[in-house]
Amino acid sequence: MVKLDAKIPHGPIAEKWTNYKAHQNLVNPANKRKLDIIVVGTGLAGASAAASLGELGFNVKVFCIQDSPRRAHSIAAQGGINAAKNYPNDGDSIYRLFYDTVKGGDYRAREANVYRLAEVSNSIIDQCVAQGVPFAREYGGLLDNRSFGGAQVSRTFYARGQTGQQLLLGAYSALSKEVANGSVKLYTRSEMMDLVIIDGRARGVIMRDVISGKIERHAAHAVVLATGGYGNVFFLSTNAMASNGSAIWKAFRKGAFFGNPCFTQIHPTCIPVHGDYQSKLTLMSESLRNDGRIWVPKSPEDAEKIRKGQMKPTQLPEQARDYYLERRYPAFGNLVPRDVASRAAKERCDAGFGVGKTGLAVYLDFADAIKRLGKHVIEARYGNLFQMYEKINDENPYETPMMIYPAVHYTMGGIWVDYELQTTIPGLFAAGEANFSDHGANRLGASALMQGLSDGYFVLPYTMQNYLADQIGVARFKTEAPEFEQAEKETRDRIQKLLSVNGNHTVDSYHRKLGLIMWDNVGMGRNKAGLEKAIALIQELRADFWKNVKVTGTNDQVNPELEKALRVADFLELGELMARDALVREESCGGHFREEHQTPDGEALRNDKDFNFVSAWEYTGADKEPVLHKEPLVFEYIEVKQRNYK
Amino acid sequence: MDLTLKIWRQASATAKGKFVNYKVQDISAEASFLEMLDLLNESLVQKGEEPVAFDHDCREGICGACSLYINGRPHGPDRGITTCQMHMRNFKHGETIVIEPWRAKPFPVIKDLMVDRSAFDEIMQAGGYVSVRTGGVPDANAIPISKRNADLAMDAAACIGCGACVAACKNASAMLFVSAKVSQFALLPQGKLEANERVRKMVARMDELGFGNCTNTYACEAECPKEISAANIARMNREFLVAKITAPKE
Ligand SMILES: Cc1cc2nc3c(=O)[nH]c(=O)nc-3n(C[C@H](O)[C@H](O)[C@H](O)COP(=O)(O)OP(=O)(O)OC[C@H]3O[C@@H](n4cnc5c(N)ncnc54)[C@H](O)[C@@H]3O)c2cc1C
Ligand code: FES
């Protein structure tokens, strides 16, 4: 049986990364030119990795689904990126960022990885500023910060409400520079179909050109998956439409273990669902919780009147409102971590205090902030978000409170990686949201951007060399190898199978059904009966999909229906693994809330004695049950406590 | 509401295209424009017909993937938003909506409403960056930048690269796109060192790729979903002039 080795370097936590770098193997410049690396994905993680590896002198091929690397889903991140700079002099430090991240993740992340993340966070800001990223500044010309949930310091750097865009454009410009230099070759509108393994090592990928439908083989000495998160398994989420779980699912099926698949983040501040034709949900950045106050009516009668349109929220007097986060969590108030805020909203709505037509919404109110700071300040801080809200809801949030409700947003789970970000398949690395690494059971706001760029700019360029150092004698691979032949054949067969079912139901109809099963049973509240039901329902739906799905068109053309079908087929397997993982984890932690395990006042109740581990699932074959491996978590630098935001 | 859609259908880059009429019924005013197209596509698939291909991804106005001329206007009738941000309440029951792909020579049609905008990537590769490597850079607060310049740089950097400026321009000029990048870097000390070379190379690449000249009509500014200012074009022209004067002799 495979033994999980996280390869955590020895020594005190603050010296681990320095020690690692001092002793790792390196590749000399002449040899770098002989080594090929494939990077799948051009989000923050992929673009920064590809650019940095190209600068070092490796031959890099980089792939993305969209027509340009600049359109990766990272572009949509709004609020900001954390770093331990302590520019505001409010008591921040590397240790504190490390501590907040581990605590925010409800003590289910690996200490050494998180410490390294906090350590390199400052270099990320330096790097981005050097690239010309226009972060917000104060009048004195220095960088400005704001606060995010789960922290008592202001450590979030931002570029208006478009931080992800600006960081991605920075990484994209670095990538463009390397494409121009010839060290990186760029393949757009290209989707990964399979991973190729030769003699137990990752040696290539099978890609589909989405314009021509051509199936292509690419070989390399190492492969990086930076393909983002799988939140779209829920159909409705804040993720972009093309976000998918297929690349990592293919890796899972080829032997990479899947870490904590059930850890999903449901974000508290999203625009509520309004119709069944809806294709995605829109996030209202967490930064809004800096100035907005969350409330519902104190009495169910008032809530009812508001739902029926007989009363406006602005007519409800102050004393008739329940600012439930401020009430329940006086220390953190509206800035509690996301999982806590989401559950609290669900609790109020389930109890009959929700607003909006459906009763599945709460208010996020800026009236106080506007009174205190003036409309112009709020406009400068959140103008584009307010505009976005108004366009969607046809309501002016400067005059009436916003309506929000939790929505699926991020997946903490992902491919299991060790300290080097290497998966259980030698030569296969995973970065960004695609790996499981740093956020435990709940990610703090503004930490995904930090992690993606940390992985790409500052971790992989080191750790991959440690792997590649003994590969310099390995000649370039030929794509005629039988392993490529086989993987390509499997891809073609799968596509053919999908096109030939010719049933009666659209791909989207299956995706929507899967989403509902997931939301109802593997969403914000989970229990044994629901999870068992979900597994059965998903198996049924999957069988039905392969019998009755209708995919129009052919393979040798632009065929968005086929692209969707390939992704949904994988989601139909991944969803089941998520439910299995949630079923096994008989505790509540972070975003994973098992209704059987809660404190008397409804807070998540962890079970450190039995569940202080990372779940790492191994694929054992189609329609066979996957096997669970456990990576025990050791906390040496942080005292494990019940999380308390009161 | 019920609507008639007059949509450009074109099987491939080389095929001849034509308008085809479709009827959609019972569309909610709350639905987005792309959700309305989803509904059309779902009904086409159910009938075994090929759905209409169009580019989209984030559906919140930031990735720049969506495009479309809607009733002759890039990103439709509403100002300051992309197609994906537009909601059906902008239309009336019984209306006919004409939907076409970007029409500009440097952006050839791929299929139906999808076009190839890789020319923008190529312009970026010509010089749309500061030549720093990963690591070895100074502390982020080592170079103070006036809030005014940082804000102006951000205004320019907000471009989403959708190509509406090119599509709006009768000459298919890419001046607004290129000038937004040139301006962002010209306004920041980090970008100053390479400013001359950058503007020369990016403009040269833009010309090679077949984008037309700017004749100061500013349809680009009017149609830009991010309301990028044409003042960037003026700034780029100044930069270009300086770069020309100081250019090393061949
Ligand atoms: C609306 C929104 C707002 C957010 N705001 C913040 C924030 O303020 N702060 C923060 O820290 N985090 C935020 N996040 C989270 C953060 O944006 C993401 O976690 C992060 O950007 C993921 O980056 P990535 O590089 O891992 O993947 P992505 O950016 O998702 O990139 C994935 C890449 O992989 C490619 N790809 C995927 N599958 C395949 C395949 N099969 N074949 C080929 N290519 C493939 C895609 O084309 C793309 O290039 C936000 C997320 C959302 C949805
Ligand atoms: S789909 Fe991203 S901008 Fe419209």
Side-chain angles (χ1 to χ4, degrees), chain A residues 39-48 63-66 68-69 71-82 148 156 163-164 167-168 187 190-193 206-207 225-229 237-240 242-248 265 267 280-287 338 408-411 431-435 439 443-453 455 567, chain B residues 57 60:
Chain A
V39 178
V40 188
T42 60
L44 288 178
S48 59
F63 300 85
C64 66
I65 297 178
Q66 292 79 7
S68 165
R71 304 202 208 284
H73 168 58
S74 294
I75 200 89
Q78 302 169 349
I81 176 165
N82 287 331
F148 258 57
T156 307
T163 315
L167 295 175
L168 184 62
Y187 297 81
S190 182
E191 188 152 349
M192 178 175 148
M193 296 286 111
I206 304 291
M207 303 296 298
L225 297 185
T227 51
S237 85
T238 62
N239 290 7
S243 296
N244 68 91
S246 288
I248 58 174
Q265 178 160 84
H267 196 296
K280 73 160 295 206
L281 296 172
T282 305
L283 174 77
M284 289 283 104
S285 167
E286 171 159 309
S287 59
R338 292 176 176 175
V408 173
H409 179 58
Y410 182 88
T411 45
E433 196 173 336
N435 72 28
H439 308 293
R443 173 176 70 77
L444 289 184
S447 286
L449 302 184
M450 170 171 72
Q451 182 226 331
L453 291 180
D455 290 358
R567 295 175 201 148
Chain B
D57 198 20
E60 48 190 62

Side-chain angles (χ1 to χ4, degrees), chain A residues 261-456:
Chain A
C262 82
F263 287 170
T264 311
Q265 178 160 84
I266 314 252
H267 196 296
T269 53
C270 301
I271 297 180
V273 177
H274 48 75
D276 50 13
Y277 47 80
Q278 208 161 342
S279 57
K280 73 160 295 206
L281 296 172
T282 305
L283 174 77
M284 289 283 104
S285 167
E286 171 159 309
S287 59
L288 293 170
R289 287 200 271 146
N290 269 290
D291 290 306
R293 298 178 69 198
I294 294 177
W295 63 273
V296 291
K298 252 186 199 154
S299 82
E301 294 75 35
D302 286 342
E304 176 78 22
K305 274 191 213 147
I306 289 182
R307 285 198 290 271
K308 288 201 172 135
Q310 295 159 350
M311 185 163 67
K312 291 202 173 97
T314 43
Q315 293 168 330
L316 200 67
E318 197 58 25
Q319 65 278 11
R321 303 175 177 192
D322 176 15
Y323 295 90
Y324 57 88
L325 288 178
E326 297 169 27
R327 168 171 60 78
R328 283 178 70 177
Y329 308 100
F332 280 70
N334 292 297
L335 285 174
V336 290
R338 292 176 176 175
D339 56 328
V340 178
S342 289
R343 267 197 303 279
K346 179 178 188 299
E347 187 277 330
R348 284 292 80 188
C349 293
D350 289 352
F353 297 90
V355 295
K357 279 187 202 134
T358 57
L360 291 177
V362 301
Y363 288 124
L364 177 62
D365 198 334
F366 293 88
D368 281 354
I370 291 173
K371 222 183 286 159
R372 191 175 71 242
L373 304 164
K375 189 181 161 193
H376 62 287
V377 174
I378 296 303
E379 195 170 350
R381 283 187 191 162
Y382 314 111
N384 68 322
L385 297 171
F386 277 44
Q387 184 216 24
M388 197 194 269
Y389 183 87
E390 188 169 359
K391 288 290 171 200
I392 295 176
N393 291 36
D394 210 17
E395 272 185 354
N396 180 348
Y398 293 102
E399 283 159 17
T400 184
M402 282 185 181
M403 278 191 285
I404 51 161
Y405 197 68
V408 173
H409 179 58
Y410 182 88
T411 45
M412 281 74 70
I415 288 296
W416 185 92
V417 288
D418 60 20
Y419 188 75
E420 297 186 300
L421 305 186
Q422 187 161 211
T423 69
T424 49
I425 301 174
L428 180 69
F429 294 77
E433 196 173 336
N435 72 28
F436 91 104
S437 71
D438 296 347
H439 308 293
N442 173 56
R443 173 176 70 77
L444 289 184
S447 286
L449 302 184
M450 170 171 72
Q451 182 226 331
L453 291 180
S454 158
D455 290 358

Side-chain angles (χ1 to χ4, degrees), chain A residues 52 55 66 68 70-71 85 87 126-127 129 132 141 160 166 172 189 241-242 279-280 391-392 506 558, chain B residues 35 42 55 57-60 63-64 78 89 111 121 133-135 139-140 145 155 157 159 161 184 190:
Chain A
S52 305
E55 283 169 5
Q66 292 79 7
S68 165
R70 68 178 291 154
R71 304 202 208 284
K85 284 281 194 188
Y87 284 156
D126 298 342
Q127 188 64 35
V129 167
R160 295 203 188 133
Q166 294 310 316
Y172 163 68
R189 297 210 197 251
M241 303 301 287
S279 57
K280 73 160 295 206
K391 288 290 171 200
I392 295 176
T506 62
V558 177
Chain B
E35 283 164 354
E42 188 136 0
D55 270 316
D57 198 20
C58 73
R59 297 204 173 189
E60 48 190 62
C63 74
D78 208 352
R89 63 179 86 90
K111 181 179 180 176
D121 281 338
R133 300 162 56 93
T134 303
D139 183 86
I145 298 171
D155 289 342
C159 166
Q184 177 196 344
Q190 301 93 305

Side-chain angles (χ1 to χ4, degrees), chain B residues 56-66 82 84 160:
Chain B
H56 65 102
D57 198 20
C58 73
R59 297 204 173 189
E60 48 190 62
I62 191 74
C63 74
C66 65
T82 53
C84 62
I160 57 173

Side-chain angles (χ1 to χ4, degrees), chain A residues 12-69:
Chain A
I13 195 147
E15 289 164 27
K16 283 182 195 293
W17 182 229
T18 311
N19 285 343
Y20 176 90
K21 289 188 290 184
H23 299 291
Q24 70 164 116
N25 296 313
L26 295 175
V27 181
N28 85 16
N31 284 329
K32 286 193 185 111
R33 284 195 290 276
K34 296 186 208 149
L35 293 168
D36 304 336
I37 298 174
I38 283 172
V39 178
V40 188
T42 60
L44 288 178
S48 59
S52 305
L53 292 163
E55 283 169 5
L56 287 173
F58 293 105
N59 291 300
V60 181
K61 284 184 177 178
V62 66
F63 300 85
C64 66
I65 297 178
Q66 292 79 7
D67 64 335
S68 165

